[in-house]
Amino acid sequence: MIDYDVRASDDSSKSERPFDPAEHPHRRRNALTGEWVLVSPHRMQRPWQGQTEHAPPQTAPRYDPSCYLCPGNARAGRLTNPAYKHTFVFTNDFAALQSDTPNGVMQRGRFFLAQAETGVCRVICFSPRHDLTLARMDPPDIRQVVDTWAEQIEELGRDPQIGYVQLFENRGAVMGSSNPHPHGQVWATRRLPTEPSKEDREQRAYFTRRNAPLLVDYLAAELAAAERVVVENDAWVALVPYWAIWPFETLVLPRRHVLHLPELAPLERDALADLLKRLLIRYDNLFETSFPYSMGWHGQPTAGDDYAHWQLHAHFFPPLLRSATVKKFMVGYEMLATPQRDITAEQAAQRLRALPELHYSKRR
Ligand code: ZN
């Protein structure tokens, strides 16, 4: 395990100027995954000659008779949604995982290994209203979503066949979301998926060395640095992580050590609803559009109990870069070598922080 030294390395024989990460290309290490991102702040000066068109205005009805998520409507296979009032959870009609898959491993020689994977895929409707998003829901209604998330972790976590529960939301057509009705998903699997597995490894290694959870120490360092924090309240902080890859990526962290969502006290759940709303309004206000993103929660695995190194957190990965329609693509060098960004995490945080907390649709 490498312990990174904080001093700037003195290689000044090569250059007159000292290394300045606000100006010079550099790479940053993601403490949570052990991976790196290339940051190129000098490129922000180059002229933009790509797409600049505006997004079409978004006007959705409160109820859409053709939406398979609206209350009372028909879904696949003769199923009908109830007249739900807050949140509504159902098993995905086209689930990627099934709970009755027989357990087993098939290996043929050195290269051909398959393991059976069991699991459950569910859809969570956040609201009966077809036209809302989390950003435009009222905090008491967002609180219902927080409670539903926690209930799903608790319920699925009791199943001995389930080892990890992943909650996520794909928001917006640009992220491949097929339906604008506000909804998220929960996929629960027997085994630990790839991203939580990297985070488990790095958090465990840090805890072994320092006897403290990595993200608890990281939040303390971020609050001391005060460069990348976007929104905060009594219980929560949202910040652009030092190692962010997506232009306006954020990490949402509780102020205290929490292993997973079901542990949150009622006041912490209210505070989370408040923080999410304030963060998501900023996102929508940035380019005056319903901001697309993939978001999801990471917390301790549900099988086993050796997880004191874990800290609950949410990631928001929004793809937009310069306007409502100009998106960052992960192509070329990023697919083949290392993710890269131009705007620094500090500049992104500064821009998000400066935005108003009144949704742009209410200013007109
Ligand atoms: Zn994570």
Side-chain angles (χ1 to χ4, degrees):
M1 188 59 52
I2 308 163
D3 239 323
Y4 291 89
D5 210 322
V6 287
R7 84 195 139 75
S9 96
D10 189 13
D11 206 5
S12 50
S13 56
K14 282 187 187 165
S15 167
E16 305 284 297
R17 297 172 301 161
F19 169 55
D20 176 2
E23 194 190 330
H24 300 132
H26 60 280
R27 60 180 204 151
R28 298 186 184 192
R29 184 174 183 271
N30 182 334
L32 202 47
T33 62
E35 294 171 349
W36 295 81
V37 54
L38 181 63
V39 185
S40 315
H42 63 294
R43 295 222 308 178
M44 284 308 282
Q45 281 102 32
R46 95 202 140 116
W48 177 249
Q49 294 181 319
Q51 305 160 267
T52 49
E53 75 267 27
H54 292 284
Q58 287 142 329
T59 46
R62 292 167 68 107
Y63 165 77
D64 179 348
S66 68
C67 170
Y68 64 92
L69 299 176
C70 277
N73 286 1
R75 295 208 315 273
R78 290 177 301 162
L79 294 162
T80 302
N81 295 330
Y84 64 95
K85 298 280 184 248
H86 298 287
T87 61
F88 167 53
V89 181
F90 62 92
T91 298
N92 195 316
D93 301 316
F94 304 97
L97 293 152
Q98 295 174 323
S99 55
D100 57 359
T101 302
N103 199 9
V105 175
M106 186 177 285
Q107 182 150 21
R108 295 263 186 277
R110 204 177 289 170
F111 301 111
F112 309 108
L113 169 65
Q115 295 175 320
E117 182 61 298
T118 52
V120 175
C121 298
R122 293 177 178 168
V123 176
I124 305 174
C125 295
F126 294 160
S127 163
R129 285 270 301 268
H130 183 81
D131 59 329
L132 290 184
T133 61
L134 282 177
R136 290 184 297 118
M137 283 166 61
D138 292 329
D141 295 326
I142 302 175
R143 164 68 197 268
Q144 300 264 1
V145 175
V146 172
D147 287 342
T148 304
W149 282 334
E151 283 162 21
Q152 290 299 308
I153 302 270
E154 259 183 325
E155 186 199 316
L156 291 162
R158 279 197 293 270
D159 183 340
Q161 305 282 352
I162 299 297
Y164 193 79
V165 181
Q166 182 62 58
L167 295 160
F168 65 98
E169 178 191 6
N170 263 342
R171 170 91 222 138
V174 71
M175 296 306 291
S177 179
S178 52
N179 190 329
H181 193 113
H183 71 287
Q185 299 186 54
V186 47
W187 290 24
T189 50
R190 180 195 296 268
R191 296 185 183 82
L192 195 57
T194 306
E195 293 300 318
S197 174
K198 292 175 201 166
E199 295 187 356
D200 184 67
R201 181 191 65 216
E202 295 300 318
Q203 290 180 101
R204 190 183 292 275
Y206 183 93
F207 195 84
T208 303
R209 273 179 302 162
R210 309 273 181 189
N211 201 30
L214 184 157
L215 285 179
V216 171
D217 282 4
Y218 173 68
L219 179 59
E222 282 289 10
L223 291 172
E227 283 185 292
R228 285 168 294 273
V229 173
V230 176
V231 203
E232 56 185 312
N233 63 24
D234 287 350
W236 295 88
V237 179
L239 52 87
V240 179
Y242 180 73
W243 52 75
I245 290 175
W246 295 96
F248 295 96
E249 177 177 337
T250 52
L251 185 66
V252 174
L253 288 162
R255 287 190 189 270
R256 71 175 179 99
H257 185 204
V258 179
L259 298 183
H260 219 327
L261 283 162
E263 280 179 27
L264 294 174
L267 284 175
E268 290 173 317
R269 296 179 185 211
D270 287 340
L272 177 56
D274 165 78
L275 183 112
L276 289 175
K277 181 162 178 86
R278 291 164 61 200
L279 174 64
L280 293 175
I281 286 176
R282 281 185 161 81
Y283 272 157
D284 279 9
N285 283 345
L286 182 62
F287 300 128
E288 300 207 345
T289 192
S290 187
F291 208 65
Y293 56 77
S294 273
M295 71 81 66
W297 287 97
H298 283 153
Q300 68 159 20
T302 57
D305 53 10
D306 176 24
Y307 296 121
H309 54 284
W310 264 92
Q311 169 70 327
L312 173 69
H313 60 277
H315 298 276
F316 282 85
F317 300 129
L320 295 186
L321 177 59
R322 283 166 213 270
S323 75
T325 55
V326 178
K327 149 180 200 292
K328 174 186 174 69
F329 291 94
M330 287 281 195
V331 294
Y333 191 79
E334 315 196 287
M335 285 179 109
L336 290 151
T338 294
Q340 184 270 341
R341 63 180 291 137
D342 292 350
I343 179 176
T344 62
E346 295 72 38
Q347 290 167 332
Q350 199 278 326
R351 284 188 62 183
L352 288 171
R353 204 164 44 231
L355 289 163
E357 291 191 350
L358 178 66
H359 196 271
Y360 71 91
S361 63
K362 297 193 170 162
R363 272 186 268 132
R364 288 168 185 161

